[in-house]
């Protein structure tokens, strides 16, 4: 299969082979990035800094349906702008800060998010990049703070940890999970770089291994990022929110994600809500000799199957989330970006 890059406009298509570029960074190939190190497999790791704007005046209309957001009242929602990645062409919202790269950004430490990430990886390492769907999910978390406030939450396929970091500004505990020692180490570093944000709200982020292809959590103390029995008890006793962004690009993995969601929902003591972010990407397949959306179509079929599932204990209510909430981070909120909400409720 030859994959097509998610371009700034869907009528502009770039072919890919075995290397995948993050859609966030395709917008600004000429902007400056700070390379900080090579990871354990020799991939360059870059540092991007996001400036948080803590006032409502900085909010921007997303351009999606819903239009004017001036009637929204809250004192806390942070907004973020990528200081060294710029903005999508034509957005007019970029505020590149030349002095940020390599130096302490101006302003309070509570105004900055630092994320280490790669720029291009093989398909199996796409979690090391920052993806547009994670920014959409972060926007939603900041808009729906009451849903996350004081809760215990778990992110599946957290990648760089950006969405977990945002969630920890309001949640009590966030379990930030993925697989792969190098990816989890990068995620842990990003959590440490931004620990001041979680601490300000009293939140805690715990980076843990969670393999969708395994039924049980790893408890071997010799394995990095394994779970203690106390953490497992806390997870099952208190978690009410599950979330994931841009993890639906391979059919087998998508099946595993939904199996994991169902398994967790049945093991949790409380009813839970899952928030899923997905981008409808076009792929040219030799099998069809045409451009299709097979990964997205499979995702939708899994949603439908979950909604139809009847096991006597839980029922799953699935609904789309209209992307009309304020856009607090700089990215192109294209119509192919979607959010879905799944509510797992006991059958009465």
């Amino acid at each position: 299969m030859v994959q097509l890059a998610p371009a700034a406009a869907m009528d502009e298509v770039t072919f890919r082979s075995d290397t995948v570029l993050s859609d966030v960074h395709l917008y600004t190939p000429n902007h400056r990035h700070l390379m900080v190190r090579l990871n354990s497999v020799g991939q360059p790791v870059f540092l991007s800094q996001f400036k948080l704007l803590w006032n409502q005046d900085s909010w921007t209309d997303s351009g999606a349906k819903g239009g004017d957001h001036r009637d929204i009242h809250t004192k806390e929602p942070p907004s973020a702008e990528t200081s060294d990645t710029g903005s999508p062409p034509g957005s007019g919202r970029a505020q590149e800060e030349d002095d940020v790269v390599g130096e302490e950004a101006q302003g309070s430490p509570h105004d900055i998010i630092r994320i280490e990430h790669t720029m291009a990886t093989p398909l199996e390492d796409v979690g090391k990049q920052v993806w547009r769907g994670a920014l959409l999910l972060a926007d939603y978390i900041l808009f729906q703070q009451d849903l996350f406030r004081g809760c215990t939450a778990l992110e599946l396929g957290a990648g760089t940890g950006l969405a977990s970091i945002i969630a920890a500004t309001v949640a009590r505990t966030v379990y930030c999970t993925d697989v792969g020692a190098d990816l989890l180490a990068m995620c842990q570093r990003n959590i440490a770089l931004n620990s001041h944000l979680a601490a300000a709200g009293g939140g805690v982020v715990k980076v843990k291994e969670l393999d969708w292809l395994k039924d049980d959590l790893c408890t071997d103390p010799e394995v990095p990022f394994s779970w203690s029995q106390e953490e497992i008890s806390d997870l099952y006793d208190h978690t009410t929110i599950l979330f994931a962004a841009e993890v639906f690009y391979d059919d087998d993995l998508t099946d595993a994600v939904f199996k994991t969601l169902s398994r967790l929902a049945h093991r949790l003591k409380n009813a839970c809500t899952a928030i899923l972010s997905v981008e409808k990407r076009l792929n040219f397949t030799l099998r069809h000799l045409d451009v299709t959306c097979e990964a997205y179509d499979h995702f939708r079929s899994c949603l439908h199957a979950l909604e139809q599932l009847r096991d006597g204990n839980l029922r799953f209510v699935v609904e789309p989330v209209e992307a009309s909430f304020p856009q607090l981070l700089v990215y192109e909120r294209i119509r192919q970006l979607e959010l879905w909400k799944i509510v797992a409720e006991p059958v009465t």
Side-chain angles (χ1 to χ4, degrees), residues 144-161:
Q144 291 285 354
Q145 291 190 44
D146 287 345
L147 178 65
F148 286 80
R149 194 179 309 281
C151 78
T152 296
L154 181 144
E155 182 176 11
L156 296 168
T160 63

Side-chain angles (χ1 to χ4, degrees), residues 49-325:
Q49 304 195 47
F50 296 75
K51 185 175 181 181
L52 296 175
L53 303 178
W54 296 94
N55 62 82
Q56 187 174 349
D57 293 338
S58 66
W59 292 18
T60 59
D61 188 348
S62 68
K65 291 187 296 182
D68 196 344
H69 304 295
R70 289 174 295 180
D71 292 332
I72 296 172
H73 300 286
T74 177
K75 296 181 180 179
E76 298 186 275
S79 172
E81 299 190 38
T82 52
S83 60
D84 62 341
T85 59
S87 70
S91 72
R93 293 195 299 271
Q95 292 184 6
E96 184 179 4
E97 299 179 14
D98 293 335
D99 295 334
V100 167
V101 179
E103 300 178 13
E104 191 70 19
Q106 296 180 356
S108 164
H110 297 283
D111 294 338
I112 300 296
I113 295 179
R114 295 175 176 83
I115 297 294
E116 286 194 359
H117 60 91
T118 57
M119 296 287 285
T121 64
L123 187 61
E124 62 268 19
D125 286 333
V126 293
K128 296 175 182 177
Q129 301 183 51
V130 178
W131 292 94
R132 190 158 41 197
L135 300 174
L136 178 70
L137 180 57
D139 265 345
Y140 181 78
I141 293 170
L142 294 173
F143 177 62
Q144 291 285 354
Q145 291 190 44
D146 287 345
L147 178 65
F148 286 80
R149 194 179 309 281
C151 78
T152 296
L154 181 144
E155 182 176 11
L156 296 168
T160 63
L162 188 149
S164 283
I165 291 167
I166 295 296
T169 63
V170 286
R172 179 180 68 88
T173 303
V174 178
Y175 289 101
C176 178
T177 71
D178 215 311
V179 293
D182 191 64
L183 175 58
L184 290 169
M186 172 187 283
C187 188
Q188 181 68 73
R189 180 165 176 79
N190 284 333
I191 301 305
L193 286 171
N194 298 281
S195 59
H196 57 287
L197 296 173
V204 175
V205 184
K206 298 185 177 184
V207 178
K208 297 295 173 183
E209 176 188 291
L210 197 158
D211 190 337
W212 308 331
L213 301 178
K214 297 179 181 178
D215 289 339
D216 297 314
L217 303 174
C218 177
T219 58
D220 185 349
E222 299 299 319
V223 176
F225 306 104
S226 61
W227 298 73
S228 69
Q229 290 299 332
E230 291 77 14
E231 289 166 338
I232 293 176
S233 296
D234 178 61
L235 174 73
Y236 292 145
D237 289 347
H238 300 112
T239 299
T240 56
I241 299 291
L242 309 173
F243 58 103
E246 296 275 29
V247 296
F248 308 106
Y249 54 87
D250 175 90
D251 288 357
D252 291 337
L253 290 179
T254 297
D255 290 339
V257 172
F258 277 92
K259 181 179 178 182
T260 300
L261 284 172
S262 177
R263 182 172 63 249
L264 287 170
H266 282 84
R267 292 180 181 179
L268 296 180
K269 181 178 180 179
N270 301 300
C272 69
T273 298
I275 308 296
L276 309 179
S277 171
V278 63
E279 182 171 337
K280 185 177 181 180
R281 288 190 171 88
L282 303 177
N283 298 278
F284 179 85
T285 64
L286 295 177
R287 181 158 58 93
H288 294 95
L289 293 177
D290 197 2
V291 175
T292 65
C293 303
E294 287 190 310
Y296 174 80
D297 292 341
H298 188 73
F299 165 77
R300 290 295 302 271
S301 70
C302 288
L303 279 178
H304 179 73
L306 186 67
E307 192 171 28
Q308 299 302 311
L309 182 64
R310 297 290 183 268
D311 63 0
N313 296 318
L314 287 178
R315 70 185 187 103
F316 296 90
V317 180
V318 178
E319 63 181 66
V321 177
E322 186 176 355
S324 58
F325 46 89

